[in-house]
Amino acid sequence: MFSRITRPAAAGLLRGLSTSAQSNARVAVLGASGGIGQPLSLLLKNSPLISNLALYDIANTPGVAADLSHIETRAKVTGYIGAEQLPESLKDADVVVIPAGVPRKPGMTRDDLFNTNASIVATLTEACAKTCPEAMICIIANPVNSTIPITAEIFKKHGVYNPNHIFGVTTLDIVRANTFVAELKGLDPARVNVPVVGGHAGKTIIPLISQCTPKVDFPQPQLETLVGRIQEAGTEVVKAKAGAGSATLSMAYAGARFVFSLLDAMNGKEGVIECSFVRSEETECTYFSTPLLLGKNGIEKNLGMGKLSAFEEKMVGEAIGELKGSIKKGEDFAKNFK
C-alpha cells in the first residue's frame, strides 16, 4: 500500500508556505511563548492557509504576538495571557495546537514529564471541550502516549468526544526518519517518506523502513543502528543542548507540517496522508500511530500498518506492553482530574 504513498514535495520552506491556496482558518496555539511555541507560531504566521492566529500562554504572549504581528502576511495575530483569557483564545478555533508543557532535561525520559504535563494538557483540553468542541486538537505536549488518552477522556467527560478530531503529533519521528535515511543513501530528504507507527517514545517509535519510498535496503546491523537513532533522536538533541532544552526547532517544523496537512485536507485537498497517534483498532492498543488519510472532518480513513517485515513485526510486538501502560496511565489520570 505504502509504496504508492508519497508526501507532497517540500517546496519552499514547508508545504504550507509554498501553497498558493488560501483559507480562512483560525488556529490557536496553546503554549505559544515556549521553546516550541514561538518557532511554531512563526511558521504558522507565514502560511496563507491561516487568517487568524490566536496565541495563548501563561507569560510573555503579548510580546510574542506583537512581534509576529509585524510580519507582512495575512494572518491576524492576537495574544492572550493567563487562565482568565484562555476561553477567549479558543473562540471559533478550527484547529488547536498544544505544545505547552515542560521540556526534557538530560537524563529524563518523556515519561518523567508526566505529572507536570498531564495537568497542563488536562486543563487546556478541558477549555477546548467547553469552548471549541468541534475543533481539531493537535497535541505536541509529551508524553504523547499518555496525553492523547488524557485528551480523549476529558472530551468524553464533557460529552463532545470525536475520535476523528484528536491527534497526537508524531510527525517529528517521520521527519527524522526521512532525514536520516536520506543522509545514509545520498537522497533528497524532501523526496523520502518513511511511515512511522506505534507511539512517540523510545521503543514505541517504529519506523517502517521496508515501506520507505523510494525503496531502500540496509544490512541488518546498519538497519538496527538507524532504527535506534530514530528512536533516540530526541535524547540526542537533549544531550547536545546540555540542559538548555529539548528538540524545539525541529518539533516546531514537524508540528507546522502536520497542521498544514490538516488544513489542506479540511480545505478539500484530496490524498493528504500523515501518521499520527490516534484512537485505533489496528492493534490491541486503544491508541496507536499509523498513516491516516485526512479529510474535511479530520480522520477520513486509518490506512493501517500495511505489510511489515519480520523485524518490524517484532518491534510492534515489543512495543505493545509499554504503550498499554502509558495509555492506562493517561486514562487513570484523566478520570481523577478535577
Side-chain angles (χ1 to χ4, degrees):
M1 183 197 310
F2 296 113
S3 60
R4 296 197 298 276
I5 294 173
T6 54
R7 63 193 171 101
L13 179 60
L14 275 168
R15 282 167 292 168
L17 306 190
S18 59
T19 180
S20 57
Q22 285 195 356
S23 72
N24 292 312
R26 181 178 174 89
V27 176
V29 181
L30 309 185
S33 301
I36 297 168
Q38 288 200 44
L40 173 62
S41 298
L42 172 62
L43 293 170
L44 296 177
K45 170 70 172 111
N46 271 290
S47 174
L49 296 169
I50 298 168
S51 60
N52 284 277
L53 188 58
L55 308 182
Y56 170 81
D57 214 320
I58 54 171
N60 306 323
T61 344
V64 175
D67 198 356
L68 287 179
S69 72
H70 294 178
I71 293 172
E72 55 182 357
T73 57
R74 68 190 283 259
K76 182 174 182 291
V77 183
T78 46
Y80 302 88
I81 189 167
E84 65 286 346
Q85 293 187 9
L86 176 57
E88 185 62 24
S89 73
L90 293 168
K91 199 174 168 206
D92 302 324
D94 299 301
V95 175
V96 180
V97 197
I98 307 184
V102 295
R104 279 203 290 160
K105 292 186 169 63
M108 289 175 78
T109 65
R110 288 179 180 88
D111 213 43
D112 291 334
L113 306 174
F114 181 85
N115 289 334
T116 302
N117 287 359
S119 296
I120 292 170
V121 168
T123 301
L124 295 176
T125 54
E126 185 164 61
C128 294
K130 289 176 180 174
T131 310
C132 54
E134 293 296 310
M136 304 292 170
I137 311 294
C138 305
I139 306 288
I140 291 172
N142 273 317
V144 166
N145 294 355
S146 298
T147 54
I148 285 300
I150 288 171
T151 302
E153 292 304 315
I154 295 289
F155 270 69
K156 285 177 191 173
K157 270 188 186 177
H158 290 274
V160 291
Y161 177 56
N162 183 340
N164 295 329
H165 286 189
I166 296 173
F167 302 91
V169 180
T170 60
T171 316
L172 183 51
D173 299 326
I174 292 90
V175 167
R176 285 167 166 159
N178 295 343
T179 301
F180 300 164
V181 167
E183 283 173 357
L184 289 171
K185 292 296 185 184
L187 299 167
D188 175 359
R191 299 190 178 280
V192 175
N193 186 36
V194 179
V196 180
V197 302
H200 184 58
K203 70 179 185 184
T204 71
I205 298 168
I206 303 162
L208 304 184
I209 306 294
S210 72
Q211 296 176 18
C212 176
T213 50
K215 188 162 177 49
V216 292
D217 285 303
F218 296 97
Q220 189 65 22
Q222 191 181 21
L223 177 63
E224 288 176 15
T225 300
L226 169 62
V227 167
R229 188 182 177 205
I230 294 164
Q231 291 177 333
E232 294 302 324
T235 303
E236 189 179 307
V237 176
V238 170
K239 283 181 180 170
K241 288 193 174 182
S246 55
T248 54
L249 302 173
S250 52
M251 185 61 247
Y253 169 91
R257 170 181 148 168
F258 185 82
V259 171
F260 297 148
S261 290
L262 190 53
L263 289 173
D264 274 339
M266 290 165 71
N267 229 20
K269 184 173 179 180
E270 295 185 353
V272 179
I273 293 164
E274 290 282 1
C275 295
S276 181
F277 187 68
V278 297
R279 178 77 195 183
S280 174
E281 294 175 1
E282 296 301 313
T283 67
E284 56 195 273
C285 292
T286 45
Y287 298 86
F288 202 83
S289 181
T290 44
L292 309 170
L293 178 64
L294 301 176
K296 290 187 177 182
N297 299 305
I299 302 170
E300 196 101 335
K301 186 181 182 187
N302 193 321
L303 299 176
M305 286 187 280
K307 188 173 177 356
L308 305 183
S309 69
F311 176 57
E312 290 159 356
E313 279 181 4
K314 182 169 176 278
M315 284 195 290
V316 170
E318 289 171 350
I320 296 292
E322 184 179 320
L323 265 177
K324 280 183 171 177
S326 298
I327 291 164
K328 185 176 187 307
K329 192 173 180 181
E331 288 174 340
D332 290 347
F333 178 89
K335 281 166 187 166
N336 297 316
F337 180 74
K338 298 281 186 288

